[in-house]
């Protein structure tokens, strides 16, 4: 066993002991997240009509866009600060996230007023609920940035699993009792907000934090979040256009097709999470020297996984999503997106070294390209157009990453 361990370590060129220590608990967290999320997806798909599920997903898509006002990438800046023992940045980051979250809440109120004016009581009330919870839903999730920065992956995993499990139970219980999208929305928000606040308070109580601040943390977190704005808009724009042009039921079909792919992407995010503290502590030249070789080796395994998914998707959908068998073909095509996952480590390197110009150039280039594709292809070709937008966009984004990677000095 030790021989195999050392051979794998030599092949990938990584510290597998570090991956085993931190990656095990991050893996537990992601495995729990994937299992719980898939169970919820199965519950939604089988307990709700396509119309109601599509409406619920539309509301969450708008919510996803509005969360950009809560400075979601402030977490990355806080991880970097805590890794450097500049922990006093946490509380300033929390205040900024809540303060800007109220801007998002105001936008949700305007949207609510629009739907009430157009006699859509359900969506009008839904965006009132979104406005009430938006400033707080993600802000207190900064406890996770502290734990990651201190490499307390076990504790972060335990807290995350509890939040996900309790929230999932609340949602399933609600689904069994009602199909009212407003009550389902409340069941989504309430556990997340209160549990995250609780674990934030527990974290700062259990873990001594110094008062040292990195004066760049807040500015950097804002930069990262501004960079993400266009991405958040475009990533949810396909959902909005499908809902607008085709209706709620086709959006449900597209959502189910994306679900397994999203879960695999979520699982892979363990690797960038582990890499971030390592990349932050290393010189840029050292990280650049070994990164591409590791990416190409990881690509071999990713390609094998995509091939396997093509084979197992039909029976899996037939078993778990019998009302959504039309999603199978779309999901098989979307699995090609997974081939781009290893290249995301280049983006992690840009983030860890605060290469702002590279981050801006990358995000502006790919998001403008994606925006044009979405606006043209989704209205013309519906779900098929949305699928091909994602595939073409992913190819383009990898190409841009590689060009920018070569320019790093």
């Amino acid at each position: 066993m030790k021989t195999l361990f050392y051979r794998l370590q030599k092949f990938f060129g990584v510290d597998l002991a570090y991956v085993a220590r931190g990656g095990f608990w991050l893996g537990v967290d992601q495995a729990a997240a994937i299992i719980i999320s898939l169970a919820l997806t199965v519950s939604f798909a089988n307990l709700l009509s396509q119309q109601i599920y599509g409406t619920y997903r539309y509301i969450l898509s708008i919510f996803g866009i509005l969360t950009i006002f809560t400075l979601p990438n402030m977490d990355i800046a806080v991880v970097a600060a805590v890794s450097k023992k500049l922990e006093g940045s946490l509380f300033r980051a929390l205040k900024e996230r809540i303060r800007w979250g109220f801007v998002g809440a105001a936008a949700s109120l305007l949207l609510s007023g629009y739907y009430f004016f157009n006699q859509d009581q359900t969506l009008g009330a839904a965006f009132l609920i979104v406005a009430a919870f938006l400033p707080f839903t993600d802000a207190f999730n900064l406890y996770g940035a502290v734990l990651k920065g201190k490499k307390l992956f076990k504790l972060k995993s335990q807290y995350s699993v509890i939040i996900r499990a309790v929230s999932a139970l609340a949602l399933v219980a609600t689904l069994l009792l009602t199909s009212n999208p407003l009550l389902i929305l409340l069941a989504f928000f309430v556990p997340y907000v209160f549990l995250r606040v609780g674990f934030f308070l527990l974290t700062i109580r259990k873990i001594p934090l110094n008062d040292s601040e990195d004066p760049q943390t807040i500015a950097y977190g804002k930069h990262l979040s501004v960079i993400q704005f266009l991405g958040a808009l475009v990533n949810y724009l396909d959902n909005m256009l499908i809902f607008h042009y085709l209706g709620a039921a086709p959006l449900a079909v597209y959502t189910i097709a994306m679900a397994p792919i999203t879960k695999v992407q979520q699982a892979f995010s363990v690797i960038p999470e582990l890499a971030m503290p390592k990349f932050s502590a290393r010189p840029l030249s050292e990280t650049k020297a070994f990164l591409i070789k590791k990416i190409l080796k990881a690509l071999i395994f990713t390609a094998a996984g995509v091939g396997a998914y093509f084979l197992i998707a039909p029976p899996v959908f037939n078993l778990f999503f019998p009302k959504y068998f039309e999603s199978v073909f779309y999901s098989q095509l979307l699995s090609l997106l997974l081939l781009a996952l290893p290249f995301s480590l280049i983006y992690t390197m840009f983030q860890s070294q605060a290469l702002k110009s590279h981050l801006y150039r990358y995000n502006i280039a790919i998001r403008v390209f994606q925006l044009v594709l979405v606006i043209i292809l989704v209205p013309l070709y519906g779900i098929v157009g949305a699928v091909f937008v994602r595939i073409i966009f992913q190819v383009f984004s990898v190409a841009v990453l590689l060009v920018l990677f070569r320019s790093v000095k």
Side-chain angles (χ1 to χ4, degrees):
M1 183 62 71
K2 286 185 178 181
T3 303
L4 176 61
F5 181 86
Y6 289 123
R7 284 181 179 177
L8 286 172
Q9 182 161 283
K10 185 176 180 180
F11 177 77
F12 286 107
V14 297
D15 183 356
L16 288 182
Y18 170 73
V19 172
R21 288 193 304 272
F24 172 77
W25 288 108
L26 285 175
V28 168
D29 185 11
Q30 292 295 349
I34 291 166
I35 292 169
I36 291 170
S37 183
L38 283 174
L40 278 174
T41 302
V42 172
S43 299
F44 276 109
N46 289 280
L47 294 175
L48 293 181
S49 68
Q50 290 186 356
Q51 187 71 22
I52 294 175
Y53 184 42
T55 300
Y56 174 74
R57 292 306 310 179
Y58 171 72
I59 296 165
L60 290 189
S61 295
I62 301 294
F63 167 70
I65 293 172
L66 293 177
T67 57
I68 195 63
F69 290 105
T70 67
L71 309 176
N73 278 358
M74 188 66 75
D75 296 58
I76 296 170
V78 173
V79 170
V82 172
S83 298
K84 298 170 186 174
K85 301 188 184 303
L86 301 170
E87 299 150 6
S89 303
L90 169 66
F91 297 103
R92 284 189 59 209
L94 177 66
K95 291 177 183 177
E96 285 296 306
R97 291 195 70 173
I98 293 174
R99 185 164 69 92
W100 281 96
F102 280 106
V103 177
S108 188
L109 287 174
L110 290 174
L111 199 55
S112 173
Y114 167 81
Y115 280 111
F116 277 129
F117 180 77
N118 285 279
Q119 307 302 314
D120 192 328
Q121 306 302 317
T122 298
L123 290 179
F127 289 110
L128 281 179
I129 294 171
V130 170
F133 287 100
L134 182 65
F136 314 104
T137 305
D138 288 337
F140 287 91
N141 207 32
L142 281 170
Y143 79 83
V146 174
L147 298 178
K148 279 196 286 186
K150 289 187 169 292
K151 300 180 183 178
L152 298 173
F153 299 118
K154 178 179 178 180
L155 196 57
K156 179 184 180 297
S157 174
Q158 291 172 337
Y159 290 173
S160 296
V161 170
I162 291 171
I163 291 173
R164 290 191 175 100
V166 173
S167 300
L169 287 173
L171 271 171
V172 172
T174 304
L175 290 174
L176 290 171
L177 294 172
T178 180
S179 59
N180 186 321
L182 299 179
L183 294 177
I184 296 169
L185 200 61
L186 284 171
F188 169 79
F189 280 118
V190 171
Y192 270 111
V193 171
F194 284 95
L195 288 172
R196 283 175 173 175
V197 170
F199 282 124
F200 180 89
L201 296 174
L202 185 60
T203 297
I204 62 175
R205 182 179 178 181
K206 289 181 65 172
I207 299 174
L209 300 175
N210 61 48
D211 296 327
S212 301
E213 290 188 27
D214 181 352
Q216 300 302 316
T217 296
I218 303 303
Y220 183 45
K222 288 180 178 179
H223 273 293
L224 290 174
S225 298
V226 168
I227 288 170
Q228 189 181 331
F229 175 76
L230 190 57
L233 173 63
V234 178
N235 278 336
Y236 289 109
L237 186 59
D238 53 359
N239 287 1
M240 295 165 59
L241 291 175
I242 289 172
F243 183 88
H244 177 74
Y245 285 103
L246 303 178
L251 176 56
V253 170
Y254 179 62
T255 299
I256 295 297
M258 274 295 300
I261 311 307
T262 303
K263 301 306 173 280
V264 175
Q265 291 171 329
Q266 185 179 346
F268 184 84
S269 67
V270 170
I271 306 301
E273 283 192 57
L274 284 169
M276 175 66 77
K278 285 280 189 179
F279 287 1
S280 297
R282 282 178 171 171
L284 177 59
S285 57
E286 183 181 331
T287 301
K288 185 182 178 183
F290 64 71
L291 193 55
I292 289 296
K293 289 182 180 178
K294 293 180 179 179
I295 287 172
L296 293 177
K297 290 175 180 178
L299 190 59
I300 297 171
F301 290 88
T302 308
V306 170
Y309 184 78
F310 263 81
L311 297 175
I312 66 171
V316 168
F317 272 74
N318 191 47
L319 178 63
F320 293 105
F321 308 109
K323 294 193 295 185
Y324 290 88
F325 199 73
E326 61 187 300
S327 299
V328 173
F329 175 65
Y330 303 130
S331 193
Q332 288 173 315
L333 289 177
L334 286 164
S335 70
L336 296 173
L337 301 177
L338 302 178
L339 295 174
L341 287 177
F343 294 94
S344 65
L345 288 171
I346 297 176
Y347 192 77
T348 303
M349 183 191 80
F350 294 164
Q351 290 178 321
S352 68
Q353 299 294 328
L355 299 177
K356 296 176 187 176
S357 65
H358 285 70
L359 292 170
Y360 271 111
R361 287 157 64 191
Y362 170 74
N363 279 279
I364 291 171
I366 66 168
R367 298 309 177 184
V368 169
F369 180 74
Q370 187 183 15
L371 181 62
V372 172
L373 287 179
V374 170
I375 292 173
I376 294 173
L377 295 183
V378 176
L380 286 176
Y381 302 107
I383 298 177
V384 174
V387 169
F388 278 100
V389 164
R390 288 188 178 262
I391 294 172
I392 296 168
F393 159 73
Q394 204 64 265
V395 173
F396 181 75
S397 66
V398 169
V400 174
L401 273 176
L402 290 173
V403 169
L404 289 173
F405 179 80
R406 290 188 62 185
S407 71
V408 173
K409 303 298 183 183

